Amino acid sequence: MKQSYLGKHALYGLLGAIAVLTVVPVATIMPAYAVDDIEGADAPDLTAVQAKIAAKDYKGALADLRDLAQDNQQADVYNLLGFTLRKTGDTATALTYYNKALELKPDHKAAREYLGELYVETGDMAKAKEQLASLQKLCPAGCDELSDLQKAIDTKVTQ
């Protein structure tokens, strides 16, 4: 009886290990997209924009967001503007919009993450780490934004 009990648990352990080994590589290579990072209840409907970003149609999302920004001074809109501008290579303007998002909502976790990623991409590791420190204060128990920025910093450091 005892042997079958151990065998059963060994099988569960093996199945669990297979599941982890299957999921972890996929989770670590999938980049974060600004699709589920809407933090404000006052945000306009960003469903169409989020779909374009998920499809990597950054120019289409950018056109929609510029229209929305004319009528909405809102942190989520500015954050997504920064994200799409960064993804299209316009880091200088992206920086402006991340800062606008943070002026409106200093505790906007996604804006902190993406601003930190911009700094990683432009080689300003000190400023990236400042954003990481802000996220550590906002997420003392951890959050996706904190772990994503930490991964971006760690990847840059090991290159």
Side-chain angles (χ1 to χ4, degrees), residues 54-143:
K56 297 184 182 181
D57 178 13
Y58 301 121
K59 291 185 182 199
L62 189 56
D64 291 351
L65 285 163
R66 285 192 167 135
D67 289 343
L68 284 169
Q70 290 181 2
D71 299 326
N72 298 281
Q73 289 192 352
Q74 205 275 338
D76 291 317
V77 172
Y78 289 147
N79 178 52
L80 290 177
L81 262 167
F83 182 86
T84 55
L85 286 161
R86 179 169 59 97
K87 291 298 186 177
T88 59
D90 188 352
T91 57
T93 309
L95 178 64
T96 300
Y97 281 105
Y98 287 138
N99 285 326
K100 282 185 174 190
L102 291 169
E103 285 172 16
L104 292 173
K105 190 173 184 212
D107 62 347
H108 197 289
K109 294 180 290 192
R112 295 253 174 230
E113 175 196 344
Y114 299 141
L115 178 57
E117 289 174 0
L118 180 144
Y119 288 134
V120 169
E121 291 169 12
T122 59
D124 194 338
M125 299 307 286
K127 287 188 177 179
K129 289 179 181 177
E130 286 175 13
Q131 296 307 312
L132 186 68
S134 293
L135 283 169
Q136 288 168 333
K137 289 177 186 170
L138 291 171
C139 308
C143 60

Side-chain angles (χ1 to χ4, degrees), residues 18-33 148 151:
I18 290 170
V20 168
L21 292 173
T22 303
V23 172
V24 169
V26 172
T28 58
I29 61 171
M30 294 297 290
Y33 294 112
D148 289 346
K151 285 178 195 171

